[in-house]
Amino acid sequence: LNIIPDFTDSEGKSPTKLTVGLVGYPNVGKSSTINSLLGAKKVSVSSTPGKTKHFQTIHLSPDLLLCDCPGLVFPQFATTKAELVCDGVLPIDQMREYRGPVGLVTQRISRPVLEATYGLTLRRRGEEEGGDGSDAVLAEDLLVAYASMSQRLEFT
């Protein structure tokens, strides 16, 4: 291989095969990239993070070996599970606690956009109810409005 001519292993031998590893966050297209390079579906892909469970090796040519790695999560970049869910790193279908991620959604997306997107009228809380007098939406209010609209929550 003349791609990296000065590279040698621990015994001073030049490699006979170049190994390239695809490493990164979950669900960013590592497996899809390999399938594109191969021109066929050789490794499974999914829209849900965490499909690749084990290190996989694929021979692209006699001189080139590709390594498909499971997605890595770097904890210093996201401090909470809620952030990891909202950023698409953790699968949403495994989420058990909703207020944290929904709270992040209400912080990141304005009331008018939430109401228009989901066809909701969101409760406005006065200061006596825990509101701050702003246009802010609380996670609980978005969850209750959405559940009521989709008839998953009944008030008695």
Side-chain angles (χ1 to χ4, degrees):
L1 274 181
N2 293 328
I3 297 173
I4 309 175
D6 297 330
F7 182 77
T8 59
D9 64 15
S10 60
E11 298 173 1
K13 297 178 185 174
S14 294
T16 57
K17 189 175 282 199
L18 178 64
T19 303
V20 176
L22 281 80
V23 181
Y25 282 110
N27 220 39
V28 295
K30 297 179 295 294
S31 298
S32 295
T33 299
I34 289 175
N35 286 336
S36 293
L37 290 170
L38 293 169
K41 186 176 178 184
K42 297 291 185 178
V43 293
S44 61
V45 296
S46 172
S47 59
T48 303
K51 179 69 175 175
T52 304
K53 302 279 188 220
H54 307 285
F55 185 82
Q56 301 175 69
T57 57
I58 299 92
H59 296 270
L60 188 62
S61 73
D63 297 330
L64 183 59
L65 177 69
L66 298 177
C67 298
D68 189 16
C69 303
L72 300 174
V73 177
F74 304 100
Q76 67 270 24
F77 296 121
T79 58
T80 67
K81 280 190 177 184
E83 288 175 314
L84 293 171
V85 168
C86 287
D87 293 341
V89 174
L90 292 179
I92 197 167
D93 62 346
Q94 294 178 10
M95 185 172 68
R96 299 293 174 255
E97 194 284 313
Y98 300 93
R99 287 186 188 200
V102 173
L104 287 174
V105 168
T106 62
Q107 289 172 15
R108 294 176 180 181
I109 303 173
S110 69
R111 174 185 295 273
V113 172
L114 289 170
E115 289 180 333
T117 301
Y118 296 105
L120 303 170
T121 300
L122 296 168
R123 177 180 178 190
R124 291 183 186 272
R125 291 184 183 235
E127 291 181 26
E128 67 280 355
E129 296 179 286
D132 60 4
S134 72
D135 213 24
V137 178
L138 298 179
E140 178 182 347
D141 295 335
L142 178 57
L143 287 167
V144 168
Y146 186 79
S148 298
M149 179 201 67
S150 60
Q151 299 176 347
R152 293 186 180 148
L153 181 65
E154 294 181 20
F155 294 100
T156 56

